[in-house]
Structure formats: structure tokens, C-alpha cells
Amino acid sequence: MKFSIQVNEGPYTHQASDSAFKFASAALEKGHEIFRIFFYHDGVNNATRLTTPPQDDRHIVNRWSDLADKHGVDLVVCVAAAQRRGIADADESKRNGKDADNLAPGFRISGLGQLIEAGIQADRLVVFGD
Amino acid sequence: MMSDEMMEDGGPVKKFLYMNRKAPYGTVYALESLEVVLIGAAFEQDVSLVFADDGLYQIAKGQDTAGIEMKNFSPTYRALEMYDVEQLYVEKESLEARGLTAEDFVVEVEVKTAEEIRDLMEEQDVVLSF
Amino acid sequence: MLLHTVNKSPFEKNALDSCLRMAKAGSSILLIEDGVYAATNNTSVSEKVKGVMGDITVYALEEDVKARGMQDKVMDGIKLVDYAGFVDLVAESDNVSAWL
């Protein structure tokens, strides 16, 4: 079955991104397909590669990047939500005249239409948030 | 569950329900949810909006945000009609609990009981919660 | 039928109440994160949860129950599922609704 997942909260404050990751991993393990994981609201903070948790803690951002790397999962960060919260890839950064970018590997920035499409294309959309 | 109906260009039409349960301004969910509805309208899906719990306050008349320096986005709900988003429902129990009536809103809404919303929810292909 | 997920403590937020009000007989509820406190015995909401259990199947996510030390307090009739079980519930339901 084809799943899409929406993540609405940032890492380390709310359990939503942990729950979403565990769910996605379990779904892949069972042989399901993850069509897309869409990061919205503060969920866009899952995508900054500057995240540096203590060594004995889980690395939520790297965990997502690994998921994209190993399973080809499409990790999409909402552009409008990302701009508000200072998450940018190199192109976005340049376009907005910023001096740095911080998007972690495996993520891409795109529009809200990607969320609607995720709802249309997948058999189920599961939302994790606050 | 895929609806049998197809869009003119041959894409599938799904039933999308937006469940709005958060008040505006105190958190960003109401505003960013409205952004999804507006973008989603371009996809020509069968869209319904339910306002329940504090979500009712999103469409309350008389909002004046000058003093908090945030954008008053309540007039935008009136534009939904132009995008053919016309199925706006308010949950009766939430309405009564908040001492409001159907005349207190910036848009025309249909009041539905929780029981009617149960049936509406079961008809959906995608439920987006904010 | 729908699978409803509730991730809020019933003692802090009204997500469970709203879910119970708008969940149809035959649907299922999965309690996750702080929502699992609604699955425990002898609380002010236990009777309310028991009251729907004839019509609605109530599940709680085992990992979240254990993380919170509630594993010995789960009410009879509530089914514990792990993340794999969560995935199965989603797949078996027609659709999912999250009460955030």
C-alpha cells in the first residue's frame, strides 16, 4: 500500500516527528511504499542540517536523511513554512539574498501543492502533529 | 477509496476534508491550514471544511488584529467561494458550547451535528487535520 | 471505516472528547503519545472511554504506553499494538483522521 505522511511539529519539542519516523520505518519494514513525507508548520525544522543533538540522543534530522538515502523516500519541506522559519536550500537562499543555507541531505523544498498531491496519490495520508 | 469521478484532464477527484479545531493567532495552525485550502483549491478536488472546537473562532466576525501586528486573515475565508470551496460546516455542539450562532461568522456556514459530521468524515478520501 | 488517532492527554486537551463525539460506531481509535493516558484505569475519563468500547474499538500504542510507565494500568478491553500494528490498522481502515 502507498502511504503519505504529514509532519507538523519540529524535532525535540514534540513527539510528532519521532512518531512519524517510527511509523514510516515500520511501514517500510512491512513492505509498504512511502509516497512522500511532507513537513509543514514547525515540522520544517526537521530539515536543518545544523541540528546538533548530544551524542547520546537520537539524531532526528540524520534519521530522516538516512531514510531518504536508503529507501528513496521523498522528503518535502513546505517552502512558505520554511521561509518563515529560516530553512533554506542553496537556491532559496540565493533568491532571498541570504548568506547561508541549511537544508539537510535528502530533503527538498517545494510548494503546498505537494501535500495535496500526496493526499491524491497515496492510499492513506497519516498526519502527525500537535 | 478512490472516487469514480474524474477531473476533466483525467486525474482522480478525491474527497478532501479539512478539520479545523484551532483558534487563530494564538498558534499558526489556522493560518497555515487556510493556505493549504487555498492551494488545494487549484487541484479541483471535492473539498469540505469543518470548523469544530476552537476552530470556530477562525471565522468569527469582528476580528481586528491591528493591536497585535498580525495579519487578519478572516476575510480570506470569504474568498473561498470564488475557488468553489463552498462546503463549510460548523459543528453544532462546539457552536453551542461557545455561545455562538451561525450569524456570528464572516462566511455562510451550515450547522451540522456531531452525528452528521461522523457520516461526513466517513465519506472522505483524505482528512487533513489542523 | 475510519481510524482516529488521539495524541493528547485527556486531562489537558479536548481532543479525545471531540474524537469520541465525532467517531462513528464501527470505527477505531488509536491512542498514541500523551493520548495513551486515556487508556488507563480509574481515571476521571475511564468510564467515558469504556462507554464507547462496545461501538468503537480502542487501541493504544504499546511503545508509548511503556515509555510512560503505564503498562500495568491499561484498562481491560483496550488492545495494545506496536508500530507494526499501527501500520496494519491504517492499512485496514478506509482512512485516517488525526485529532490534534
Side-chain angles (χ1 to χ4, degrees), chain A:
Chain A
M1 188 170 269
K2 220 191 281 181
F3 291 101
S4 286
I5 294 172
Q6 184 183 344
V7 181
N8 287 343
E9 295 301 322
Y12 302 107
T13 299
H14 192 287
Q15 200 185 340
S17 48
D18 289 284
S19 299
F21 176 79
K22 298 281 289 181
F23 180 86
S25 303
L28 289 167
E29 205 157 297
K30 285 189 138 291
H32 296 293
E33 182 191 338
I34 307 279
F35 175 75
R36 177 171 298 151
I37 303 179
F38 190 84
F39 296 86
Y40 198 40
H41 303 305
D42 278 357
V44 299
N45 291 315
N46 280 277
T48 165
R49 66 165 185 267
L50 300 180
T51 300
T52 315
Q55 281 200 344
D56 60 351
D57 198 359
R58 70 228 187 273
H59 199 307
I60 294 179
V61 177
N62 288 359
R63 238 168 29 176
W64 288 124
S65 294
D66 288 346
L67 204 66
D69 185 40
K70 291 202 182 86
H71 299 279
V73 177
D74 189 20
L75 306 176
V76 179
V77 178
C78 170
V79 61
Q83 282 177 337
R84 284 184 182 127
R85 294 165 179 86
I87 307 292
D89 61 12
D91 286 348
E92 274 296 313
S93 179
K94 199 174 161 194
R95 192 172 309 133
N96 295 302
K98 305 292 180 186
D99 60 0
D101 60 84
N102 59 352
L103 194 74
F107 290 86
R108 64 187 180 93
I109 292 183
S110 190
L112 272 174
Q114 298 276 311
L115 171 60
I116 306 296
E117 201 205 8
I120 294 172
Q121 296 299 333
D123 300 305
R124 304 281 184 279
L125 174 69
V126 189
V127 184
F128 294 90
D130 188 21

Side-chain angles (χ1 to χ4, degrees), chain B residues 26-102:
Chain B
T27 58
V28 77
Y29 302 108
L31 171 63
E32 289 190 337
S33 161
L34 182 57
E35 288 179 354
V36 179
V37 176
L38 291 169
I39 297 288
F43 285 74
E44 297 179 26
Q45 304 293 301
D46 180 355
V47 174
S48 304
L49 268 65
V50 172
F51 297 91
D53 296 317
D54 285 350
L56 271 67
Y57 293 127
Q58 295 177 19
I59 49 172
K61 277 181 186 164
Q63 297 176 35
D64 175 1
T65 57
I68 60 170
E69 296 186 26
M70 289 164 79
K71 189 179 158 197
N72 176 3
F73 57 94
S74 63
T76 311
Y77 292 95
R78 275 186 254 150
L80 290 177
E81 209 180 349
M82 291 188 306
Y83 296 95
D84 293 323
V85 176
E86 289 163 337
Q87 302 172 89
L88 273 57
Y89 306 109
V90 159
E91 194 221 4
K92 187 168 182 275
E93 287 77 356
S94 300
L95 184 74
E96 288 170 356
R98 283 157 187 79
L100 300 171
T101 70

